[in-house]
Amino acid sequence: MTKTVLLTGVSGYIGLHVAKLLLEDGYHVRGSIRSKSKEKHVRDTLHAASVDTSKLTFVELDLSKDEGWDEAANGSDFVVHVASPFTVANPKSEAEMINPAVEGTLRALHAAEKAKIKRVVLTSSLVSMMGSMKSGTVTPSHWTDINAKDVSTYIKSKTLAEKAAWDFVNSQASTNQMELVVINPGAVYGPPLGDNLTGASMGFIDQMLKGKLPMVPRLAMPMVDVRDVAKLHVLAMTHDGASGQRIIASDSKPHGFADVAQVLKDEGYEGPSTRFAPNLIIRLSALFDREAKGMLSFLGMNVSADNSRTQQLFDWTPISFNKMIADTGAAVKAHQTS
């Protein structure tokens, strides 16, 4: 019998890749979108990627509203909760980002519990582990100190949402123990499905290829290909050893934006710059620019990741950094407009 997966955030960068793998594996995907207007775009994007969408249906869900969650989860076998607000810029009010992230996660978990779903896979982020670190090696036992200096609203939102998920699952009665697996990706790049370049990662590559980033901030963190992130989500749904795990989804070695630019230059693109922006300029910009303020958490960061558990558990080898960036550059270039 075909298994059904409630996949939230199906129209997003990661969500589309997860949907592709699930549909190719024969699952029925119940994809959540905030507006019915996105349905055609999702289906067309997957069609263009040669994916059969006959087992794809849609439900309208809002992270900030109760309506529809119980019905969406009812009859599903798994929940993969990818949807979460993301922007580098700090919002005017932290609640604008934190509330939907935390409340949306809890809505997904409450609905899954009512539907007696055995396992939920949650997309978190490596920033929930390393957001208050500047150096060293992050492991699955690390947690970000949200009260540390310069921690951005996005980092707080991912950390608080993940903590809320673990608290929810750990507070369940032992007779009704729903399993949780959390995927913690590093900075996500890799070719998008479709032509939407508005996300933070694709927007950054787009601007870099156009020569609109004459300098880059000095930082380095673990990165990961979106195709690997999707693969780990799908594997985590059914792998016996994944239950209760925080899964580091990234390469072990840190890379910076200058490294990204260098790979693109080596691929023959003329726009990217490897020049570093002085930290002082970014700090001064942060006084009046919310995006610069959101970058302060990462300024001067040089953190590695211990991904050994992920590699062993899933027999997984990450797509190389050079291939990830080269493939991203080619995909973005193909969809660029002036």
Side-chain angles (χ1 to χ4, degrees):
M1 192 171 104
T2 302
K3 300 278 190 180
T4 297
V5 181
L6 171 58
L7 171 61
T8 70
V10 68
S11 64
Y13 177 41
I14 294 174
L16 282 165
H17 277 275
V18 175
K20 177 179 183 290
L21 294 187
L22 289 172
L23 290 166
E24 288 175 344
D25 284 353
Y27 289 96
H28 172 211
V29 176
R30 193 176 289 168
S32 88
I33 48 180
R34 280 195 299 172
S35 167
K36 284 289 187 182
S37 63
K38 292 188 175 183
E39 183 174 329
K40 184 177 186 303
H41 179 261
V42 172
R43 205 176 286 279
D44 289 349
T45 299
L46 290 168
H47 278 159
S50 302
V51 178
D52 178 1
T53 62
S54 60
K55 292 181 180 177
L56 173 64
T57 56
F58 295 91
V59 290
E60 276 190 84
L61 295 176
D62 188 316
L63 295 174
S64 300
K65 297 178 181 177
D66 290 333
E67 290 79 14
W69 286 91
D70 290 351
E71 294 82 358
N74 190 37
S76 300
D77 297 282
F78 302 97
V79 171
V80 178
H81 183 51
V82 179
S84 187
F86 172 60
T87 174
V88 174
N90 280 356
K92 289 182 179 179
S93 165
E94 288 193 333
E96 290 178 30
M97 190 181 297
I98 291 174
N99 289 357
V102 174
E103 294 169 7
T105 296
L106 291 175
R107 284 184 171 94
L109 290 169
H110 277 290
E113 182 184 42
K114 285 184 182 178
K116 294 183 167 50
I117 287 168
K118 183 63 177 172
R119 181 175 292 185
V120 174
V121 179
L122 170 68
T123 313
S124 183
S125 171
L126 207 57
V127 300
S128 71
M129 300 177 178
M130 68 170 196
S132 51
M133 295 173 65
K134 289 297 183 185
S135 61
T137 301
V138 66
T139 73
S141 64
H142 280 91
W143 280 99
T144 289
D145 176 5
I146 63 169
N147 297 310
K149 184 181 178 183
D150 294 332
V151 171
S152 72
T153 306
Y154 171 68
I155 292 175
K156 291 178 183 178
S157 75
K158 297 306 287 187
T159 305
L160 292 171
E162 187 186 340
K163 283 191 171 182
W166 287 117
D167 289 344
F168 179 90
V169 170
N170 292 333
S171 68
Q172 285 184 304
S174 58
T175 54
N176 185 35
Q177 192 66 34
M178 182 171 62
E179 297 174 352
L180 177 66
V181 187
V182 175
I183 308 295
N184 300 79
V188 185
Y189 290 92
L193 289 180
D195 56 2
N196 187 349
L197 305 181
T198 60
S201 297
M202 296 307 97
F204 177 79
I205 299 293
D206 180 42
Q207 294 297 297
M208 187 173 271
L209 291 180
K210 290 177 177 176
K212 294 184 177 180
L213 294 177
M215 294 185 291
V216 294
R218 191 182 296 273
L219 57 87
M221 67 184 79
M223 297 186 178
V224 64
D225 193 296
V226 66
R227 293 166 291 190
D228 275 333
V229 177
K231 179 180 180 180
L232 291 171
H233 276 77
V234 175
L235 291 172
M237 283 191 342
T238 57
H239 194 292
D240 289 341
S243 176
Q245 300 292 319
R246 303 175 81 199
I247 305 297
I248 288 181
S250 77
D251 199 355
S252 58
K253 182 181 176 182
H255 293 283
F257 293 150
D259 300 323
V260 172
Q262 189 59 57
V263 171
L264 294 173
K265 286 167 75 75
D266 292 344
E267 289 293 309
Y269 300 104
E270 296 179 359
S273 169
T274 57
R275 290 181 59 209
F276 287 113
N279 289 354
L280 180 60
I281 289 180
I282 296 175
R283 289 197 172 275
L284 288 173
S285 299
L287 296 175
F288 54 85
D289 184 284
R290 293 203 303 272
E291 188 159 345
K293 190 172 183 180
M295 287 297 299
L296 292 181
S297 308
F298 304 102
L299 206 56
M301 180 181 282
N302 192 352
V303 176
S304 301
D306 180 359
N307 65 3
S308 57
R309 183 190 293 176
T310 310
Q311 293 203 53
Q312 292 163 7
L313 191 63
F314 299 109
D315 191 23
W316 171 68
T317 302
I319 293 169
S320 74
F321 173 75
N322 281 29
K323 177 174 173 53
M324 173 180 72
I325 299 302
D327 288 356
T328 308
V332 171
K333 187 69 176 177
H335 295 298
Q336 271 184 338
T337 57
S338 59

